[in-house]
Amino acid sequence: MTKFVPTWLLSSASLAIAAWLLGDHMSIGDSRDSTFARIVSILVVGAIFTVINMFVAPVIKTLSIPFIIITLGFALLVINALLLLLTEWITGKFGVAFEVDGFWWAVLGAIVISIVNAVLGGFTKNAR
Protein backbone atom coordinates (compact mmCIF):
# COMPACT_ATOMS: atom_id res chain seq x y z
CA MET A 1 0.00 0.00 0.00
CA THR A 2 2.85 2.37 0.71
CA LYS A 3 4.10 2.01 -2.86
CA PHE A 4 0.64 2.28 -4.41
CA VAL A 5 -0.10 5.88 -3.39
CA PRO A 6 3.05 7.54 -4.84
CA THR A 7 2.78 5.40 -7.98
CA TRP A 8 -0.89 6.31 -8.31
CA LEU A 9 -0.17 10.03 -7.96
CA LEU A 10 2.72 9.88 -10.46
CA SER A 11 0.59 7.94 -12.93
CA SER A 12 -2.29 10.39 -12.51
CA ALA A 13 0.02 13.34 -13.15
CA SER A 14 1.59 11.59 -16.16
CA LEU A 15 -1.82 10.79 -17.63
CA ALA A 16 -2.99 14.38 -17.11
CA ILE A 17 0.10 15.80 -18.79
CA ALA A 18 -0.19 13.33 -21.67
CA ALA A 19 -3.86 14.24 -22.14
CA TRP A 20 -2.95 17.93 -22.12
CA LEU A 21 -0.12 17.42 -24.66
CA LEU A 22 -2.14 15.20 -27.01
CA GLY A 23 -5.09 17.59 -26.97
CA ASP A 24 -8.22 16.21 -28.62
CA HIS A 25 -6.64 12.80 -29.22
CA MET A 26 -6.58 11.81 -25.55
CA SER A 27 -8.96 13.22 -22.97
CA ILE A 28 -9.79 12.63 -19.33
CA GLY A 29 -13.10 13.86 -18.01
CA ASP A 30 -15.56 16.10 -19.78
CA SER A 31 -14.50 19.62 -20.72
CA ARG A 32 -17.81 20.92 -19.28
CA ASP A 33 -17.10 19.39 -15.85
CA SER A 34 -15.95 21.44 -12.88
CA THR A 35 -12.28 21.43 -11.95
CA PHE A 36 -13.01 19.17 -8.99
CA ALA A 37 -14.85 16.65 -11.19
CA ARG A 38 -11.97 16.61 -13.68
CA ILE A 39 -9.44 16.04 -10.89
CA VAL A 40 -11.55 13.16 -9.58
CA SER A 41 -11.68 11.71 -13.12
CA ILE A 42 -7.89 11.99 -13.41
CA LEU A 43 -7.43 10.26 -10.04
CA VAL A 44 -9.84 7.44 -10.95
CA VAL A 45 -8.16 6.88 -14.33
CA GLY A 46 -4.76 7.03 -12.58
CA ALA A 47 -5.86 4.43 -10.02
CA ILE A 48 -7.10 2.03 -12.69
CA PHE A 49 -3.96 2.60 -14.78
CA THR A 50 -1.78 1.95 -11.72
CA VAL A 51 -3.60 -1.29 -10.85
CA ILE A 52 -3.24 -2.49 -14.45
CA ASN A 53 0.47 -1.64 -14.44
CA MET A 54 1.02 -3.34 -11.08
CA PHE A 55 -0.82 -6.60 -11.82
CA VAL A 56 -1.52 -7.09 -15.54
CA ALA A 57 1.59 -5.53 -17.11
CA PRO A 58 4.19 -7.75 -15.37
CA VAL A 59 2.37 -10.92 -16.47
CA ILE A 60 2.01 -9.77 -20.08
CA LYS A 61 5.59 -8.50 -20.27
CA THR A 62 6.96 -11.73 -18.80
CA LEU A 63 5.01 -13.85 -21.28
CA SER A 64 6.15 -11.55 -24.11
CA ILE A 65 9.90 -11.67 -23.39
CA PRO A 66 10.73 -13.55 -26.63
CA PHE A 67 8.85 -10.98 -28.73
CA ILE A 68 10.40 -8.11 -26.81
CA ILE A 69 13.88 -9.51 -27.49
CA ILE A 70 13.18 -10.24 -31.17
CA THR A 71 11.79 -6.75 -31.77
CA LEU A 72 14.60 -5.10 -29.76
CA GLY A 73 12.09 -3.68 -27.29
CA PHE A 74 9.61 -2.24 -29.76
CA ALA A 75 7.03 -4.80 -28.60
CA LEU A 76 6.98 -2.89 -25.30
CA LEU A 77 5.49 0.09 -27.16
CA VAL A 78 2.67 -2.12 -28.42
CA ILE A 79 2.15 -3.65 -24.97
CA ASN A 80 2.05 -0.26 -23.25
CA ALA A 81 -0.36 1.10 -25.87
CA LEU A 82 -2.64 -1.91 -25.40
CA LEU A 83 -2.53 -1.45 -21.62
CA LEU A 84 -3.55 2.19 -22.11
CA LEU A 85 -6.44 1.06 -24.32
CA LEU A 86 -7.37 -1.51 -21.65
CA THR A 87 -7.46 1.35 -19.14
CA GLU A 88 -9.78 3.25 -21.49
CA TRP A 89 -12.09 0.24 -21.76
CA ILE A 90 -12.21 -0.38 -17.99
CA THR A 91 -12.79 3.29 -17.14
CA GLY A 92 -15.68 3.27 -19.61
CA LYS A 93 -17.26 0.44 -17.61
CA PHE A 94 -17.05 2.65 -14.50
CA GLY A 95 -18.60 5.60 -16.32
CA VAL A 96 -15.43 7.71 -16.22
CA ALA A 97 -14.72 9.74 -19.36
CA PHE A 98 -11.30 8.67 -20.67
CA GLU A 99 -10.76 8.46 -24.40
CA VAL A 100 -7.86 7.72 -26.71
CA ASP A 101 -8.42 8.21 -30.45
CA GLY A 102 -7.01 4.86 -31.52
CA PHE A 103 -4.04 2.56 -31.40
CA TRP A 104 -1.41 4.95 -32.79
CA TRP A 105 -2.49 7.71 -30.43
CA ALA A 106 -2.27 5.15 -27.64
CA VAL A 107 1.31 4.39 -28.72
CA LEU A 108 2.16 8.09 -28.64
CA GLY A 109 0.33 8.48 -25.34
CA ALA A 110 2.26 5.55 -23.84
CA ILE A 111 5.54 7.14 -24.93
CA VAL A 112 4.59 10.49 -23.40
CA ILE A 113 3.37 8.83 -20.19
CA SER A 114 6.62 6.84 -19.89
CA ILE A 115 8.79 9.93 -20.38
CA VAL A 116 6.78 12.11 -18.00
CA ASN A 117 6.65 9.32 -15.42
CA ALA A 118 10.44 8.91 -15.61
CA VAL A 119 11.04 12.65 -15.23
CA LEU A 120 8.57 13.07 -12.36
CA GLY A 121 9.84 9.87 -10.74
CA GLY A 122 13.37 11.25 -10.88
CA PHE A 123 12.29 14.39 -9.08
CA THR A 124 10.49 12.47 -6.36
CA LYS A 125 13.44 10.15 -5.77
CA ASN A 126 15.74 13.16 -5.41
CA ALA A 127 13.33 14.74 -2.92
CA ARG A 128 13.60 11.80 -0.51
Side-chain angles (χ1 to χ4, degrees), residues 14 31 34 36 49 53 59 62 64 76-77 81-82 92 97-98 106 109 113 115 122:
S14 298
S31 60
S34 67
F36 178 76
F49 186 70
N53 278 313
V59 174
T62 301
S64 303
L76 285 172
L77 291 174
L82 292 174
F98 174 54
I113 290 167
I115 292 169

Side-chain angles (χ1 to χ4, degrees), residues 8-118:
W8 169 40
L9 294 175
L10 280 174
S11 293
S12 297
S14 298
L15 283 160
I17 292 169
W20 175 70
L21 287 173
L22 296 180
D24 293 337
H25 302 290
M26 181 175 164
S27 63
I28 302 173
D30 191 353
S31 60
R32 296 169 292 184
D33 286 344
S34 67
T35 303
F36 178 76
R38 295 206 54 187
I39 290 171
V40 169
S41 295
I42 289 168
L43 291 174
V44 170
V45 172
I48 293 169
F49 186 70
T50 301
V51 169
I52 288 173
N53 278 313
M54 289 178 93
F55 298 107
V56 177
V59 174
I60 292 174
K61 290 176 182 178
T62 301
L63 294 174
S64 303
I65 287 174
F67 300 110
I68 293 169
I69 292 170
I70 289 171
T71 62
L72 303 174
F74 286 110
L76 285 172
L77 291 174
V78 173
I79 291 169
N80 289 336
L82 292 174
L83 292 173
L84 190 61
L85 292 172
L86 176 63
T87 302
E88 176 189 25
W89 181 76
I90 292 172
T91 56
K93 297 297 180 187
F94 285 103
V96 178
F98 174 54
E99 296 179 6
V100 182
D101 272 352
F103 175 75
W104 293 109
W105 287 108
V107 170
L108 185 58
I111 291 169
V112 170
I113 290 167
S114 296
I115 292 169
V116 171
N117 213 3

